[in-house]
Each structure stands twice: as structure tokens, then as C-alpha cells.
Amino acid sequence: MRVLPALLCLLLAALPAAAGEVTREITGSLAYAPRIALPPDVEMAVELSGPSGPVASLRQMTRGAQVPLPFALEAREGEALTLRAALFLDGRPLWITGEVAVPAGDEDLDLGRIALQAHVAIGPDTRLDCGGQEVRLGITGDSAVLSAGGASIALARGAAATGTRFSDGATPETALRLQAGGIAVTLRGKTLPDCTALIPDALLPLTLRGTEPFWALTIAPDGMRLERADAAALELPLPPVETLPGGIALRGGGLEVTLSAAPCHDAMTGMPYPLTGVVTQEGKTLNGCGGDPASLLAGAWRASEIGAKPLRGGAEVTLVFAKDRFSGQACNRFGGPFSLTGEGLRLGPATATRMACPAPQMEAETATFAALAAATGFDIDADGQLVLVAADGVPLLKARK
């Protein structure tokens, strides 16, 4: 248990919850099983998060150190948190952890040795925070794809005095440079603020499911298990991951699995999933969906239509989905829980502040609250818009990132 230094407490005196707060130390180490040496310029990132987002983080260069890599973070007492970590090389994730539960308490806590898994990603595998703007980056050999502001731009490797450089060759130029000091991004001629690589979510373990016949394939860091209604279960070690344009492939033991970052809808419920999977075994092809539907909702959205009508009079409505909660602002700020089940999507009950605004904004807010209350499902349309739908399938609200 530790008390924050007196000077820091004075600086934070304007924030009553922070003044004089008591912290505890969370320690542990990161390691992986394969005997693979880390390059000298690897960056270790460790992050503690609570319900409202990150509460503490650590970033440091390993400078040639090898696993296990120790870490220590300070966190407020009494909060249940989650910990994630990653090892980056030139801003690209090499090894990551899943979420590790940190139970609430008031004593220092040693989490012991936390297992890292090789980073497996489909599509752009690196998320960057460039001064508040999110940029996604995927690199395959001498080509790269940079996604920002709803657009994806193809880049090609070019000459660089130091590090690695990719460019689209256009005027104004979109380019990125990867080097030990980090990643620099130029978007259509504008140099973005310094970019920080964000810790990615772990893709594995992942389950694909399909029908006709009913089947499920679980892919974990240590192996795969295929269960079919018409055949005996099959267990295999995890084969090497082959990167494909927009996807990955795993081949071994008479099984071939391809995963692509293409939306997929469950044949029984219509629920959208972020991944499309195809499994081939002994000449039989199984088609299914995988990933977490909530990942399609995650992020910040701006409403474009409510009740099939565009917003009028300069009204704006925003929605943000994170973990199991949503928030936003129309006239007032609002928020509440949401849940996704086999039955669909449920939003609320929502709470909101009480403030008067000009008529167009109030009308948009009233329509937004009605849409949230009536929504029983969602989809992502061909333009990438989020669509909240009613029980009869009628679109209630559309929003863009």
C-alpha cells in the first residue's frame, strides 16, 4: 500500500476523488514458452483498465532484456481492474496477453508470470493513437494498408535512410515510417501528431460456428478442436499461421481453415459477426461465423439518420460503445448498459442529464432515445454504417464512425 507523494496530491487537489488517494502496487512478469530471442529494440507496454478506461500504464524499451520481463504499476485501492500487455517492434505487436483479472483489494498484488501469445491478426493488425485520431495499419511484405477516417489507402515500401518507409506515391502524400523511436504517419500531406501503438485485443481463443450440420471449431494458442454433429471430435496442435490478403489460413492434420475480416451473419439468428470462416475437412466444406459481435459495435459513432430521416438544423448525435456500456450526447449526455445475447441486442435502461437545447437538437434527442429503447438488434451495412433495428427489422438509427 502506498500514499501518493504530497506534491502530487496538492497538484490534484482540484479533483476531490484523486486528492490523498491511496494506491497499491501491481507487479508481475511477462514470458512466453518458445525459445525465441527478442530483438534489442522491443518496447514493453502494460496497461491497467477499469470500467471507465485505462487507469495506469507502463511503456519502456527492453534494451536487449529477455523474458521473463518484470513490470510494476500503481493503481488505486478498491477497484477491480483488468491488465493487458504487449511487446512491440517498430510499433508492431509481436507478443500479447489476453485480459488478466486484477481483483479489488487494498494490498499490493503480485500476478506472477503472465503468459504471452504470438500476435495473430486478421487485416490491419496495428492500432495507433495519433493525437486522438485512430489509425489502423496492416503490413504484408513490401505492401501496407493504412486505414483512417473511414478510408483505406494502399502503400508500397520505398527507400528510407533509417527504419522502414511506405508511401502511396500520391500528391498530397500518405506515408508512414517505422523506426525504433515509433511510427510517424502522414495522411494526405498532413503530418499527424506522434503515434502510439495501442495494445491489441487477443484474437485467440476464437470459436467459429456453423449449421448444416451444426459444428464448432475452437482455435486457441495451444491447439484446435473441431466438433461436428455428424463426426467424431478432432483435436490438433495449432499449425503455423499463414497471412493472406485480408485474412489468415491454418493448415494441418487434414484440416484447412481460412478466416477473413468479412462480416458474417448467423444463419439461425441473423446476428452479425466480424469474421467469416471456412473449414475444409476430407473434401467437405463448412461455412460459419466467428469473433465477438460486440467488436463491431465498439468505438465512437455519429448518427446520420434517425427513423429514416437525416438530422436537421445542425443537430448532432454521438454514440460510443465500450465493453458492456454505451454513452453519447444529443442535447444531453446519456449512457447505460447494453447486452448481446442469442436473442439480440438490448440497450438500457439509459440515464441522461437534463438540459434544454434548441428545437432541432431536442427533436433529435427524443428520436434517439426512442430508437435506443426500441432496438432489438443491429447490423453493419455495405457502407460500414451501424444500423440499429427494431424487432420487425425496420432500421431505427444509422451512424458512421
Side-chain angles (χ1 to χ4, degrees):
M1 183 186 305
R2 290 167 175 76
V3 178
L4 292 179
L7 177 59
L8 180 59
C9 289
L10 289 174
L11 293 174
L12 297 177
L15 303 175
E21 69 181 7
V22 181
T23 68
R24 58 175 179 155
E25 186 175 59
I26 309 298
T27 58
S29 63
L30 307 177
Y32 50 75
R35 295 189 175 185
I36 302 174
L38 286 173
D41 295 328
V42 166
E43 180 187 33
M44 177 177 71
V46 186
E47 182 179 87
L48 283 170
S49 296
S52 59
V55 298
S57 63
L58 166 70
R59 284 183 177 261
Q60 64 185 41
M61 303 303 292
T62 57
R63 304 187 187 282
Q66 301 297 314
V67 296
L69 300 168
F71 65 83
L73 290 169
E74 298 281 343
R76 292 189 295 268
E77 284 189 359
E79 287 188 329
L81 306 170
T82 57
L83 179 142
R84 296 191 307 162
L87 303 181
F88 295 94
L89 179 63
D90 295 340
R92 300 187 64 196
L94 297 178
W95 299 87
I96 64 172
T97 69
E99 286 194 347
V100 178
V102 179
D106 57 7
E107 299 294 332
D108 293 348
L109 178 64
D110 184 3
L111 297 173
R113 188 167 295 187
I114 299 172
L116 291 159
Q117 59 179 271
H119 178 52
V120 177
I122 297 175
D125 64 350
T126 302
R127 292 172 56 232
L128 306 174
D129 180 355
C130 302
Q133 179 171 356
E134 181 172 317
V135 174
R136 288 182 177 267
L137 171 64
I139 299 176
T140 305
D142 290 333
S143 62
V145 176
L146 187 150
S147 300
S152 294
I153 304 169
L155 310 176
R157 188 187 296 267
T162 60
T164 305
R165 191 175 190 276
F166 292 84
S167 170
D168 67 347
T171 302
E173 182 187 40
T174 293
L176 65 97
R177 182 186 295 275
L178 295 84
Q179 50 194 11
I183 299 179
V185 174
T186 300
L187 185 60
R188 299 185 182 91
K190 177 184 177 182
T191 300
L192 300 186
D194 291 344
C195 297
T196 300
L198 302 176
I199 297 175
D201 296 326
L203 176 66
L204 305 181
L206 168 73
T207 299
L208 296 173
R209 291 187 174 86
T211 58
E212 298 180 7
F214 286 100
W215 63 272
L217 174 68
T218 300
I219 308 172
D222 57 353
M224 303 191 298
R225 178 181 173 85
L226 175 64
E227 297 179 86
R228 291 172 49 178
D230 60 346
L234 174 66
E235 293 189 0
L236 298 168
L238 186 70
V241 178
E242 178 185 346
T243 301
L244 304 174
I248 59 172
L250 304 98
R251 299 181 175 94
L255 204 65
E256 180 174 331
V257 182
T258 60
L259 291 167
S260 60
C264 178
H265 291 82
D266 184 89
M268 300 286 289
T269 66
M271 177 74 74
Y273 287 80
L275 302 176
T276 294
V278 179
V279 178
T280 304
Q281 182 188 31
E282 299 175 349
K284 186 175 181 62
T285 299
L286 306 171
N287 297 294
C289 303
D292 183 2
S295 67
L296 294 172
L297 285 171
W301 303 85
R302 187 177 300 275
S304 56
E305 293 182 14
I306 305 176
K309 296 179 181 179
L311 279 68
R312 72 177 189 88
E316 290 189 357
V317 175
T318 59
L319 276 171
V320 178
F321 291 88
K323 291 189 179 292
D324 57 356
R325 296 192 64 81
F326 70 93
S327 60
Q329 184 168 8
C331 168
N332 291 277
R333 295 184 180 276
F334 59 86
F338 79 88
S339 61
L340 276 172
T341 67
E343 303 301 318
L345 170 68
R346 176 179 172 81
L347 296 160
T351 59
T353 56
R354 296 176 178 272
M355 182 176 66
C357 294
Q361 198 72 20
M362 292 299 293
E363 291 172 8
E365 178 176 274
T366 299
T368 298
F369 289 167
L372 296 176
T376 61
F378 80 99
D379 203 352
I380 304 296
D381 69 14
D383 295 327
Q385 289 192 111
L386 168 66
V387 184
L388 299 182
V389 298
D392 58 4
V394 172
L396 299 168
L397 181 149
K398 293 184 178 182
R400 298 181 182 276
K401 278 198 168 179

